[in-house]
Amino acid sequence: MKVTLFATCLVDMFQGDVGKAVVEVLERLGCEIDFPEQQICCGQPAYNSGYVKESKSAMKRMITAFEHAEYVVSPSGSCAYMFKEYSEVFKGDPLWESKASALAAKTYEFTEFIVNVLKMEDVGAHLEGKATYHSSCHMTRLLGVTEAPIKLLQNVDGLQYVELPGKDRCCGFGGTFSVKMGNISGEMVHEKVHHVEETGADYLIGADAGCLINIGGRIHRQGKPIKVMHIAEVLNCR
């Protein structure tokens, strides 16, 4: 099975180890990985800020970059959902609507792909300790991926999974929201870290780089002994 990796900006620039983990896990599961070097930002920051027209050039470049792909897999539910949004952005466009719809149909979030396409819930990972999982907003509420990451974590040998109190609450990142509404965002992430502490977890695990950078930054500044990991890194532990 050929898989084309949509790395996302944050993984590419700040969390390269997450991208490597995604590749290594998928290769171990029998996938052949392709990485189009012409991929750029999916256009989500500009689009969500109301600059729809300005974001279209980035979207067209991404559609073209992934046009050859059999499956597109991303380690970010938020960015994977943006690909799904393309068909609405280009609705009525005689050239780009069909291409956008084709991209949306073959795009999957990393854990969704493993569980729903590869039909696997145990990838042979091993990690000792107690962990809780942060459910990112776009991945759960818009993309609709809720069960796949939990199923995978519950099958990690040595890992005790504990549900996070207030798991349905935003961490305060929200892309540009954390910049425009800094004070509110700060209170939201403070609450999130408090709930993480309540679980007694050794690890906070998530599936979106933006959320993990936001929560991880607060955990680091407060000196909490909690390790923040992307779920791809967890599934790559042996």
Side-chain angles (χ1 to χ4, degrees), residues 15-217:
Q15 295 188 332
D17 286 344
V18 172
K20 292 177 184 178
V22 169
V23 171
E24 290 174 1
V25 170
L26 292 179
E27 285 183 338
R28 197 162 62 244
L29 298 180
C31 299
E32 179 183 339
I33 310 300
D34 167 47
F35 182 83
E37 293 187 6
Q38 64 268 40
Q39 62 181 284
I40 56 172
C41 175
C42 64
Q44 183 175 174
Y47 177 75
N48 286 350
S49 297
Y51 298 99
V52 179
K53 181 180 179 180
E54 291 81 356
S55 65
K56 284 186 176 181
S57 59
M59 294 180 189
K60 289 177 180 178
R61 178 164 172 173
M62 292 296 268
I63 291 172
T64 302
F66 290 93
E67 198 165 12
H68 71 286
E70 180 179 345
Y71 292 97
V72 177
V73 174
S74 172
S76 166
S78 178
C79 297
Y81 177 75
M82 191 61 211
F83 272 13
K84 304 285 188 181
E85 190 78 359
Y86 281 10
S87 54
E88 183 65 28
V89 174
F90 290 102
K91 190 174 183 178
D93 188 302
L95 175 61
W96 293 98
E97 182 180 5
S98 60
K99 292 184 177 183
S101 297
L103 176 59
K106 62 186 178 183
T107 297
Y108 296 86
E109 181 273 331
F110 174 64
T111 64
E112 174 192 26
F113 180 76
I114 293 175
V115 173
N116 296 344
V117 179
L118 297 182
K119 304 298 182 183
M120 298 189 70
E121 295 181 8
D122 188 341
V123 301
H126 175 89
L127 181 64
E128 295 285 342
K130 182 187 289 187
T132 192
Y133 174 79
H134 166 67
S135 304
S136 56
C137 296
H138 280 190
M139 183 165 161
T140 56
R141 299 175 188 177
L142 298 179
L143 195 60
V145 178
T146 57
E147 298 182 1
I150 305 304
K151 288 179 179 179
L152 289 166
L153 289 177
Q154 289 176 334
N155 282 293
V156 174
D157 182 49
L159 193 67
Q160 178 187 353
Y161 169 73
V162 182
E163 188 170 284
L164 182 64
K167 65 178 183 179
D168 60 334
R169 297 181 186 178
C170 177
C171 72
F173 178 63
T176 55
F177 173 81
S178 61
V179 178
K180 295 178 179 178
M181 303 289 184
N183 291 336
I184 299 174
S185 173
E187 290 302 315
M188 293 169 74
V189 74
H190 177 77
E191 179 187 58
K192 182 65 65 172
V193 172
H194 173 70
H195 287 321
V196 172
E197 280 191 291
E198 284 184 321
T199 67
D202 304 300
Y203 305 98
L204 168 67
I205 300 168
D208 263 297
C211 298
L212 293 177
I213 289 172
N214 185 43
I215 305 170

